[in-house]
Amino acid sequence: MTESPAGPALEPLPGLKLWPGRLDAAAQAALRDAVRVALGTAPPYRPVTPCGRPMSVRMSNLGPLGWVADRSGGYRYQQTHPATGRPWPPIPPLLLDLWANHADPDRPPDACLVNLYGTDARMGLHQDRDEADLTAPVLSVSLGDTALFRFGPAEGGPTRSLRLASGDVLLLSGPARLCRHGIDRLLPGSSRLLPGGGRLNLTLRRAG
Ligand code: MD6
Ligand code: FE
């Protein structure tokens, strides 16, 4: 994996750090291929919110724990795929290296949520708060089409947006760990990494 210069290029809120183009083209292709293989045994599905609404983003997970949602159980982490009943595939080493470099060298992640966006998919404003330790950082990697990422302080108030392009790495840590964030929309045709377009976002956490 090619290393970019140390330190985030942007920190638009204290603790919200962005490394644009952190993964070069070869690393992006390698990660795409590793995730594609893993999704062969953990097929993406559309979770249903506790209110009964199917999400527009398709999801799967990698690692010991996976984030799931359904009508009866709400939002939670579990060790198995809800449809196949099998354990989630392992987190690729490239992602574990990124975590060690940018999030926490001492405690590895135990969950990686895989979000797959078709051209019209979006994700509403939310906070990541289903993890046992809400002080552990969350690190995400984006692949494929650029997304408009909206974010604002945890307490509410005005939001801003930034673009997440293929190869970008984003960290929510410290005072930004509970910031509100979501994906307004994709910029279709902005990347040729994924056949057919769309976007893949991989979010590493310490969940348990
Ligand atoms: C996405 N990302 O980029 C959605 N959460 O598709 C997230 O919800 C997210 O990027 C926590 C930390 C980083 C993220
Ligand atoms: Fe999130």
Side-chain angles (χ1 to χ4, degrees), residues 123 126-128 172 181 203 205:
M123 188 179 290
H126 65 275
Q127 294 173 295
D128 285 32
L172 298 189
H181 59 277
T203 312
R205 307 126 191 281

Side-chain angles (χ1 to χ4, degrees), residues 115 117 123 126 128 138 140 149 170 172 181 183 199 201:
N115 293 140
Y117 292 75
M123 188 179 290
H126 65 275
D128 285 32
V138 183
S140 93
F149 178 87
L170 179 74
L172 298 189
H181 59 277
I183 298 293
R199 175 173 181 262
N201 176 263

Side-chain angles (χ1 to χ4, degrees), residues 61-154:
N61 290 276
L62 309 172
L65 291 171
W67 186 87
V68 298
D70 58 36
R71 183 125 209 196
S72 50
Y75 303 123
R76 63 195 186 278
Y77 284 93
Q78 66 179 39
Q79 295 173 350
T80 54
H81 190 293
T84 68
R86 296 173 63 181
W88 306 103
I91 299 174
L94 185 152
L95 290 176
L96 298 175
D97 286 349
L98 273 181
W99 174 277
N101 283 323
H102 296 306
D104 184 349
D106 298 324
R107 285 166 299 177
D110 57 11
C112 177
L113 175 63
V114 181
N115 293 140
L116 286 126
Y117 292 75
T119 303
D120 295 322
R122 56 199 63 221
M123 188 179 290
L125 272 187
H126 65 275
Q127 294 173 295
D128 285 32
R129 51 184 326 143
D130 299 316
E131 298 71 38
D133 175 3
L134 294 178
T135 67
V138 183
L139 186 80
S140 93
V141 183
S142 294
L143 295 175
D145 283 340
T146 297
L148 292 182
F149 178 87
R150 181 163 293 282
F151 63 95

